[in-house]
Amino acid sequence: MKEKLAAMLLGSLLLSLGVNGFLVPYHLLDGGVIGLGLIIHYFYGWPTGLSIIVLSLPLYVLAWFFERRYFYYSLHGLIISSFCIDFLSFINGKIEIGILPSTIIGGLLVGIGIGLMLRYETSTGGTDLLAQLLTKFTSINIGIIIFLIDGLVITSGIQVVGLEKFFYSLLTIICVGFMTALTVRGNNNQHFPYY
């Protein structure tokens, strides 16, 4: 239990550092509910973490009825990571290294954070939770579902961030997916086969 809590806290801090330190200053997007939270933040100025919680509520209602195990595994991760994202929002603009390095480093940090939580059987919920629920009713690989959802999210953000940052955001998603897979790999107890 202590290891899981430590993984949740460290994963949430790394995720928040990636989002606030590297993605937000350049208006870059991630996939999933984090990406939707960023779109709302850029467009309306609402706190990203709070937006993520509000957007995730319908998914948690579905999980409660269809797969309660997923509900319990990811609820703590959602709350802690969303809180950390808003708590660390003060670092926005404090790290200035250019858009390309920020794209890569931000994606790697977010991927390590998510992967660390998954490795200890928790997650940030969001669209990963939706993908888990969808795989119960379809034969489509969960990694493909997540990739498609992420693609839809950043495509919907083109109007907000523009075409150039859309392509940088694609690179961010590739880095997130790569580091998530690398961080989770080798864990024989892994129950969240996302990638």
Side-chain angles (χ1 to χ4, degrees):
M1 187 62 183
K2 287 181 183 176
E3 285 183 345
K4 184 180 282 197
L5 182 59
M8 235 186 296
L9 288 171
L10 182 57
S12 294
L13 287 171
L14 290 170
L15 169 74
S16 303
L17 177 61
V19 168
N20 290 305
F22 300 95
L23 302 185
V24 172
Y26 294 98
H27 282 89
L28 299 172
L29 297 173
D30 185 21
V33 173
I34 294 172
L36 290 173
L38 287 169
I39 291 169
I40 289 172
H41 173 71
Y42 299 149
F43 197 74
Y44 295 107
W46 296 353
T48 307
L50 181 62
S51 300
I52 290 168
I53 289 175
V54 171
L55 291 165
S56 295
L57 288 176
L59 301 175
Y60 278 86
V61 170
L62 285 174
W64 178 261
F65 288 109
F66 292 107
E67 190 55 69
R68 214 159 281 185
R69 182 172 63 103
Y70 296 157
F71 176 90
Y72 291 120
Y73 276 144
S74 57
L75 183 63
H76 299 99
L78 168 73
I79 292 168
I80 292 172
S81 61
S82 297
F83 172 79
C84 284
I85 287 171
D86 286 348
F87 181 73
L88 292 180
S89 63
F90 70 91
I91 64 172
N92 176 9
K94 300 283 193 281
I95 304 168
E96 296 181 21
I97 58 171
I99 191 167
L100 182 57
S102 288
T103 299
I104 295 167
I105 294 169
L108 295 178
L109 286 170
V110 170
I112 294 169
I114 291 171
L116 191 60
M117 287 192 275
L118 292 176
R119 191 174 179 96
Y120 287 90
E121 299 181 349
T122 186
S123 78
T124 58
T127 50
D128 296 344
L129 183 60
L130 177 61
Q132 284 177 311
L133 294 169
L134 288 173
T135 56
K136 287 180 64 68
F137 304 107
T138 68
S139 58
I140 303 171
N141 178 283
I142 194 163
I144 293 169
I145 292 174
I146 290 171
F147 182 75
L148 290 173
I149 293 170
D150 288 352
L152 285 172
V153 168
I154 68 160
T155 301
S156 69
I158 290 176
Q159 300 282 354
V160 177
V161 299
L163 197 57
E164 181 188 2
K165 290 179 182 175
F166 164 78
F167 286 111
Y168 281 112
S169 297
L170 275 179
L171 180 57
T172 297
I173 288 176
I174 291 167
C175 292
V176 170
F178 175 75
M179 280 313 295
T180 300
L182 202 63
T183 307
V184 171
R185 184 178 294 163
N187 183 6
N188 294 330
N189 298 323
Q190 177 61 28
H191 298 298
F192 295 95
Y194 289 148
Y195 294 94

